[in-house]
């Protein structure tokens, strides 16, 4: 694959920031989308610290704004690659999540990636091909209580990615999914925020939320560095024979294996006992 321009959304922290820097290191013109000038400054500083300042640019973009997405794709050089990473965590029992929360989540993590892919594909095809990497999660393969909407969004992204991969393969565009387990990103701050909001609203799931947060704090010490995901994304963009899926992290592999092999009644029993549901 020609190492031209790659756009990575949600580039100011975590996996997105690590990806923007890593792609510059391997020879791409790396462009990261952020939502403010302040966040742009974070990316530029990280690029300078990594010695790749001249290979990294930023662009202001709210991925939920359809017109802005079209303008950004039109303003950039023809893309060799697109990394759809922008997103946020949403913790909440199905009963606790409002319509507005659900709509924003799906707009950001399902509709926006598909929209950007749809906008980028024609130019990729005209230039002989390209690659699209959609950053999903182990949550795209498994489902957890208290995170139903988040896992539903990741499941939807995976289904759309699978369909798109088949539809565009003959035109020289490859679509890959990257499915990380637990990594040190801002998603865990989102979890703390959501649980505080649910508690303030008087949710009947307060005890379960607290147990979930306690377990999260224990696991956080074992979480990997987002650079591992960034290197996997770089592989998906550069390898001669890219895969359809890249599962990243020992915890992701263990969770998938357990979910596949454990009968549903047993799995439900232990989840309910563990969360006091």
């Amino acid at each position: 694959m020609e190492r031209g321009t790659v756009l990575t959304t949600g580039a100011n922290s975590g996996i997105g920031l690590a990806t923007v820097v890593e792609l510059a290191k391997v020879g791409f013109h790396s462009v990261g989308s952020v939502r403010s000038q302040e966040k742009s400054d974070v990316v530029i500083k990280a690029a300078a610290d990594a010695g790749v300042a001249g290979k990294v640019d930023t662009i202001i973009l709210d991925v939920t704004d359809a017109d802005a997405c079209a303008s950004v794709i039109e303003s950039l050089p023809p893309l060799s690659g697109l990394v759809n990473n922008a997103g946020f965590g949403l913790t909440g029992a199905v009963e606790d999540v409002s319509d507005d929360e659900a709509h924003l989540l799906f707009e950001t993590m399902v509709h926006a990636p598909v929209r950007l892919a749809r906008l980028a594909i024609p130019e990729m095809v005209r230039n002989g091909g390209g690659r699209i990497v959609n950053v999903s999660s182990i949550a795209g393969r498994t489902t957890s209580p208290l995170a139903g909407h988040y896992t539903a969004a990741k499941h939807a992204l995976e289904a759309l990615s699978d369909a798109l991969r088949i539809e565009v393969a003959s035109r020289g565009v490859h679509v890959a999914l990257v499915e990380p387990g637990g990594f040190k990103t801002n998603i865990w701050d989102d979890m703390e925020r959501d649980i505080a909001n649910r508690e303030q609203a008087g949710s009947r799931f307060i005890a379960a939320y607290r147990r979930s947060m306690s377990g999260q704090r224990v696991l956080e010490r074992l979480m990997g560095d987002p650079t591992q995901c960034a290197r996997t994304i770089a592989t998906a963009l550069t390898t001669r024979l890219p895969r359809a899926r890249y599962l990243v992290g020992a915890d992701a592999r263990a969770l998938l294996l357990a979910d596949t092999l454990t009968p549903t009644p047993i799995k439900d029993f232990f989840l309910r006992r563990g969360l006091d549901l």
Side-chain angles (χ1 to χ4, degrees):
M1 176 181 170
E2 181 184 349
R3 301 199 180 183
T5 299
V6 177
L7 172 64
T8 301
T9 64
N12 61 282
S13 65
I15 293 171
L17 181 58
T19 298
V20 167
V21 171
E22 183 66 24
L23 295 184
K25 286 181 178 179
V26 299
F28 287 105
H29 170 215
S30 185
V31 180
S33 85
V34 294
R35 288 170 59 94
S36 69
Q37 186 57 51
E38 181 181 8
K39 292 180 177 180
S40 173
D41 293 342
V42 171
V43 178
I44 297 304
K45 182 180 184 305
D49 291 345
V52 292
K55 297 180 180 179
V56 173
D57 289 316
T58 61
I59 194 160
I60 307 297
L61 174 63
D62 176 355
V63 297
T64 68
D65 183 332
D67 291 338
C69 288
S71 295
V72 162
I73 296 298
E74 187 176 339
S75 70
L76 289 173
L79 294 181
S80 298
L82 168 65
V83 180
N84 282 308
N85 168 73
F88 58 91
L90 181 62
T91 298
V94 172
E95 296 173 51
D96 286 347
V97 175
S98 69
D99 285 352
D100 287 345
E101 288 178 298
H103 290 161
L104 179 59
L105 183 80
F106 274 76
E107 182 60 37
T108 305
M109 293 171 54
V110 181
H111 303 311
V114 173
R115 176 188 303 121
L116 285 166
R118 188 176 68 242
L119 291 166
I121 284 168
E123 198 66 30
M124 285 183 175
V125 171
R126 280 192 287 271
N127 285 278
R131 296 191 184 175
I132 297 168
V133 178
N134 290 330
V135 180
S136 179
S137 164
I138 185 58
R141 306 276 290 273
T142 64
T143 302
S144 302
L146 309 182
H149 284 82
Y150 180 82
T151 57
K154 291 300 189 183
H155 276 62
L157 179 62
E158 297 226 350
L160 285 160
S161 298
D162 285 339
L164 182 62
R165 184 184 67 252
I166 297 166
E167 292 164 0
V168 299
S170 65
R171 301 165 73 197
V173 178
H174 182 81
V175 180
L177 283 159
V178 171
E179 302 165 324
F183 285 85
K184 295 173 183 175
T185 71
N186 288 345
I187 193 172
W188 310 117
D189 297 332
D190 295 341
M191 182 179 187
E192 290 189 3
R193 173 207 65 205
D194 290 337
I195 290 175
N197 290 340
R198 308 303 177 203
E199 193 163 356
Q200 187 175 16
S203 169
R204 73 181 185 90
F205 295 96
I206 291 173
Y209 289 135
R210 288 175 178 165
R211 286 196 179 198
S212 178
M213 192 72 249
S214 296
Q216 176 56 43
R217 290 195 177 106
V218 171
L219 293 173
E220 195 165 5
R221 303 182 195 128
L222 306 175
M223 289 178 185
D225 189 299
T227 302
Q228 183 182 355
C229 292
R231 289 173 179 158
T232 301
I233 291 168
T235 296
L237 288 168
T238 58
T239 186
R240 187 164 169 267
L241 297 172
R243 305 203 308 252
R245 277 178 169 77
Y246 293 84
L247 199 62
V248 189
D251 61 333
R253 290 187 286 273
L255 279 169
L256 182 60
L257 182 64
D259 189 73
T260 302
L261 298 180
T262 307
T264 298
I266 294 175
K267 181 170 57 179
D268 288 359
F269 173 79
F270 280 105
L271 284 171
R272 289 178 61 199
R273 286 292 298 272
L275 292 170
D276 193 25
L277 290 171

